[in-house]
């Protein structure tokens, strides 16, 4: 019974299968959720269309049957090429196209075509999948990715992504630029290759601990390709996959090299300022003592016979005092407290005048080359101080070339802009004259460079005082300039002196003060000096020259002495800095009470004299300590003889 039934059923299925297959295909075609068409293989004319296509595109069945597959597509070359290939297609063919619906809306579709027989002719069954929303999402994602890529690539911070083993997976352009490499050169290399030794140790510890699962912040020192150091503030965030496994880290790197350099410059400037105040104060006190030593030595020598056995001893005392005076002048120059008489100078002229002397100074085994630009302009400086700067730099260069070499002195002019001076403390933008002194000597390491302008720092052992470059620093700074030094061990040193460039008015001239003899007189002089030894020396010198001397240890005593004196007071000789009342205050009060009294100021420390010296009508009204008896007598006579006009 079962076998008979099964056999009848099988015969029935074999007889009905062609009809059932066509009906099933028709049902599947018309009910398929995606738009489908049957098109002529050659002309691509639409022969049949399913319900989904009618619904999705908005055309009726009759309208579709009047169209070809080309009519649906919005003209584009890629689409035409794909349709041209359909006529020879023997298997499944896929392409992307853009179609226009009946309402005018453009949609993006992925097309699939397969050859078949339809009504005895070659045909294609074509299906379209609308991917418009997906394409829009992809485009939005692409735009976002591009936007983020631009943000990353244009960021001023370096961005660095490492894998779990610390190999570089990604760096942005800024990071590569900061280190001087190309991005390709950095990819795949361990992070440690770009760090200094101390930073390598810290980085390895952090990587081994997977940054302890938290964002880390800190300062790191990187090594640039050229060997220089990059100081950076680094923030590192560990990265994990969806399973929570550590896969690497993302670092944000901010270059703070310039900030660190400015901080070091500020620290150095503060240190130099503190040392300068100390040096200036010491020099001021020494000047009073040296004035007494050299002054009395001079007076003793004048009173001794040429054959006196004491003469040699006193001369040695005087020479020692003069050497001490030279040291104090160097200290004052370093602390920018040395009294100066600035005038307009042509630096080229100063160098030309000194060239023969400089050649003798360096010796025959060193070649001296001068390269002087003719149109550099003028600077305002004390000529003696500018000569001292040159001599000190040349001597320093000579000592750096014990086996001979080349010494080059150059002049040029530059314009320092705001960007340049922003990286340097106490430098103003504007035009400058540059005086360069370069040698081919032994050079200096960074540690030595950081101390070269400090007083008493020397690399010459007992041969050096440590004041040469300190004096250069003080003189140049006092002139409103600055010193830049470049040096490398074994490759020489270059000092660049920047002095403000000045174009002088046509009518400005520099005139020398007339020479005066150191003769005496009979006038009355009021001396105000708080240091007893200096005051006694001044009284001794002036009385020997025939003057009447009134003494006071401060301004208040000086005013009382003047009021008690019945006769005229021709000159007030006063220290600038004194207790109770300054020398300038004393002078102003005395001239109100005695209008005809002339004034001569003296001091060994110009910074403590403050603005007072800037208000002087003439440099001749100021006498610098230490001074000799002859210099004192000459300056007193000069002031007394000066016209009141």
């Amino acid at each position: 019974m079962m076998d008979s039934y099964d056999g009848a059923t099988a015969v029935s299925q074999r007889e009905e299968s062609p009809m059932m297959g066509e009906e099933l295909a028709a049902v599947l075609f018309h009910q398929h959720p995606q738009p489908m068409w049957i098109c002529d293989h050659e002309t691509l004319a639409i022969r049949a269309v399913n319900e989904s296509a009618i619904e999705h595109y908005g055309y009726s069945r009759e309208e579709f049957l009047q169209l070809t597959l080309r009519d649906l597509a919005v003209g584009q070359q890629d689409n035409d090429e794909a349709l041209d290939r359909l006529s020879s297609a023997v298997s499944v063919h896929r392409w992307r196209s853009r179609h226009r619906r009946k309402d005018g809306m453009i949609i993006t579709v992925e097309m699939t075509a397969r050859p078949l027989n339809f009504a005895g002719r070659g045909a294609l069954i074509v299906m379209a999948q609308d991917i418009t929303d997906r394409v829009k999402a992809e485009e939005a994602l692409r735009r976002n990715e591009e936007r983020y890529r631009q943000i990353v690539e244009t960021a001023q911070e370096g961005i660095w992504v490492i894998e779990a083993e610390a190999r570089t997976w990604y760096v942005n352009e800024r990071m590569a630029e900061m280190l001087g490499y190309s991005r390709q050169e950095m990819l795949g290399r361990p992070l440690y290759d770009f760090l200094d030794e101390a930073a390598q140790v810290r980085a390895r510890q952090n990587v081994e601990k997977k940054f302890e699962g938290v964002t880390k912040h800190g300062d790191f020192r990187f090594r640039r390709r050229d060997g220089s150091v990059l100081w950076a503030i680094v923030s590192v965030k560990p990265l994990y996959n969806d399973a929570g496994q550590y896969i690497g880290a993302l670092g944000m790197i901010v270059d703070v090299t310039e900030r660190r350099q400015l901080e070091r410059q500020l620290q150095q400037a503060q240190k130099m300022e503190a040392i300068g105040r100390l040096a200036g104060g010491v020099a001021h006190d020494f000047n009073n003592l040296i004035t007494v030593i050299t002054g009395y030595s001079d007076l003793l020598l004048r009173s001794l016979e040429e054959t006196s056995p004491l003469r040699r001893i006193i001369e040695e005392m005087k020479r020692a005092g003069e050497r001490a005076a030279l040291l104090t002048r160097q200290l004052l120059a370093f602390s920018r407290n040395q009294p100066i008489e600035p005038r307009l100078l042509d630096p080229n002229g100063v160098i030309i005048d000194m060239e023969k002397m400089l050649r003798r100074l360096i010796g025959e085994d060193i070649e001296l080359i001068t390269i002087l630009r003719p149109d550099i302009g003028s600077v305002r400086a004390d000529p003696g101080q500018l000569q001292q700067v040159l001599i000190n730099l040349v001597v320093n260069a000579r000592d750096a070339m014990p086996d001979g070499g080349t010494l080059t002195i150059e002049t040029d002019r530059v314009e320092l802009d705001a960007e340049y001076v922003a990286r340097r403390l106490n430098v103003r933008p504007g035009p400058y004259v540059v005086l360069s002194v370069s040698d081919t000597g032994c050079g200096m390491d960074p540690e030595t460079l950081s101390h070269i302008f400090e007083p008493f720092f020397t690399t010459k052992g007992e041969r050096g005082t440590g004041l040469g470059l300190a004096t250069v620093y003080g003189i140049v700074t006092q002139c409103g300039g600055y010193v830049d030094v470049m040096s490398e061990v074994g490759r020489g040193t270059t000092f660049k002196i920047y002095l403000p460039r000045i174009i002088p008015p046509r009518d400005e001239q520099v005139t020398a003060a007339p020479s005066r003899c150191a003769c005496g007189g009979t006038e009355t002089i009021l001396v105000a000096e708080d240091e007893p030894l200096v005051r006694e020396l001044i009284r001794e010198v002036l009385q020997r020259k025939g003057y009447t001397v009134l003494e006071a240890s401060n301004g208040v005593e000086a005013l009382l002495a003047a009021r008690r004196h019945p006769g005229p007071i021709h000159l007030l000789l006063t220290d600038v800095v004194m207790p109770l009342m300054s020398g300038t205050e004393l002078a102003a009060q005395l001239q109100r009470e005695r209008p005809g009294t002339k004034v001569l100021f003296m001091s060994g420390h110009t910074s403590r004299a403050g603005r007072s010296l800037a208000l002087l009508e003439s440099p001749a009204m100021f006498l610098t300590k230490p001074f000799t008896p002859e210099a004192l007598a000459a300056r007193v006579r000069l002031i007394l003889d000066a016209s009141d006009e």
Side-chain angles (χ1 to χ4, degrees), residues 126-173:
V126 182
M127 182 178 69
Q129 182 179 2
D130 188 347
I131 59 171
T132 304
D133 291 340
R134 190 179 83 192
V135 169
K136 288 181 179 178
E138 290 174 351
E139 179 62 22
L141 179 60
R142 187 195 65 78
R143 286 196 302 268
N144 284 339
E145 289 177 347
E146 177 64 21
R147 186 179 301 115
Y148 290 132
R149 187 191 68 81
Q150 290 179 354
I151 291 173
V152 169
E153 289 302 326
T154 59
Q156 290 302 302
E157 296 80 15
I159 298 177
W160 199 325
V161 181
I162 60 171
E163 298 172 345
E165 298 80 14
R167 292 193 174 275
T168 302
W169 181 77
Y170 170 84
V171 289
N172 67 345
E173 191 65 35

Side-chain angles (χ1 to χ4, degrees), residues 467-478:
L467 289 174
L469 292 179
T471 302
V472 169
Y473 174 87
I475 290 173
V476 173
T477 306
Q478 192 171 19

Side-chain angles (χ1 to χ4, degrees), residues 332-333 336-343 380-386 388 474-475 477-480 606 613 619 622 624:
L332 288 172
R336 289 164 282 165
N337 295 315
Q338 186 179 23
I340 59 174
E341 296 185 18
R343 63 189 69 177
R380 189 178 297 279
D382 185 299
Q385 285 198 333
L386 188 56
Q388 188 175 2
I475 290 173
T477 306
Q478 192 171 19
C479 292
T606 57
L613 301 179
F622 182 77
T624 305

Side-chain angles (χ1 to χ4, degrees), residues 447-513:
E447 176 63 21
T448 302
L449 272 176
S450 67
H451 296 287
I452 57 173
F453 294 123
E454 297 174 10
F456 309 115
F457 176 82
T458 180
T459 59
K460 303 174 186 178
E462 296 181 356
R463 294 185 300 110
T465 63
L467 289 174
L469 292 179
T471 302
V472 169
Y473 174 87
I475 290 173
V476 173
T477 306
Q478 192 171 19
C479 292
Y482 82 100
V483 187
D484 198 9
V485 190
M486 293 159 287
S487 186
E488 188 175 343
V489 174
R491 303 189 66 177
T493 302
T494 296
F495 284 86
K496 287 183 176 289
I497 307 299
Y498 290 79
L499 297 173
R501 181 172 179 264
I502 298 172
I503 300 176
R506 293 182 179 180
D507 58 348
E508 183 168 353
Q509 296 179 347
V510 179
T511 56

Side-chain angles (χ1 to χ4, degrees), residues 53 110 114 124 126 167 276 299 388 487 502 543 603 628:
E110 283 188 348
R114 183 189 300 272
L124 296 165
V126 182
R167 292 193 174 275
L299 292 179
Q388 188 175 2
S487 186
I502 298 172
Q543 285 181 342
S603 181
T628 65

Side-chain angles (χ1 to χ4, degrees), residues 339-343 511-514 516 571 576 584 591 598-602 611-624 635 638-645:
I340 59 174
E341 296 185 18
R343 63 189 69 177
T511 56
R516 298 282 181 174
L571 176 68
V576 178
T584 51
Q591 287 183 323
K598 296 180 179 180
V599 179
L600 173 58
F601 294 101
M602 56 184 173
R611 293 187 309 156
S612 306
L613 301 179
L615 301 176
L616 299 183
E617 298 176 3
S618 166
M621 294 175 63
F622 182 77
L623 182 61
T624 305
R635 188 61 61 89
L638 176 66
I639 298 298
L640 288 172
D641 292 345
S643 172
D644 292 329
E645 297 179 1

Side-chain angles (χ1 to χ4, degrees), residues 420-631:
Y420 178 87
V421 302
R423 300 191 296 270
R424 289 163 174 80
L425 290 176
N426 303 323
V427 181
R428 296 180 179 180
Y432 283 79
V433 170
V434 187
L435 191 158
S436 303
V437 178
S438 305
D439 65 65
T440 57
C442 57
M444 293 176 280
D445 58 37
E447 176 63 21
T448 302
L449 272 176
S450 67
H451 296 287
I452 57 173
F453 294 123
E454 297 174 10
F456 309 115
F457 176 82
T458 180
T459 59
K460 303 174 186 178
E462 296 181 356
R463 294 185 300 110
T465 63
L467 289 174
L469 292 179
T471 302
V472 169
Y473 174 87
I475 290 173
V476 173
T477 306
Q478 192 171 19
C479 292
Y482 82 100
V483 187
D484 198 9
V485 190
M486 293 159 287
S487 186
E488 188 175 343
V489 174
R491 303 189 66 177
T493 302
T494 296
F495 284 86
K496 287 183 176 289
I497 307 299
Y498 290 79
L499 297 173
R501 181 172 179 264
I502 298 172
I503 300 176
R506 293 182 179 180
D507 58 348
E508 183 168 353
Q509 296 179 347
V510 179
T511 56
S515 177
R516 298 282 181 174
C517 65
C519 54
T522 58
E523 291 90 345
T524 298
I525 301 175
L526 173 58
V527 177
E529 166 62 60
D530 59 315
E531 177 57 49
L533 293 176
V534 176
R535 188 171 65 250
E536 292 170 9
L537 171 67
I538 293 173
R539 182 197 63 204
E540 182 74 22
V541 171
L542 294 180
Q543 285 181 342
R544 288 192 179 199
K545 293 293 181 179
Y547 298 105
T548 299
V549 179
L550 306 178
E551 293 182 69
S553 61
N554 56 61
V556 175
E557 286 186 9
L559 287 176
L560 292 174
R563 290 165 186 164
R564 289 195 297 265
H565 184 69
I569 296 177
H570 301 90
L571 176 68
L572 168 65
L573 174 57
T574 178
D575 195 6
V576 178
V577 180
M578 294 186 297
L580 302 180
M581 179 182 291
S582 70
T584 51
E585 292 172 334
L586 167 61
Q589 181 63 33
L590 183 62
Q591 287 183 323
R592 281 194 292 269
E593 298 180 10
R594 292 174 174 264
T597 303
K598 296 180 179 180
V599 179
L600 173 58
F601 294 101
M602 56 184 173
S603 181
H605 196 317
T606 57
S607 71
R608 290 175 65 184
R611 293 187 309 156
S612 306
L613 301 179
L615 301 176
L616 299 183
E617 298 176 3
S618 166
M621 294 175 63
F622 182 77
L623 182 61
T624 305
K625 296 178 182 177
F627 47 77
T628 65
E630 284 299 309

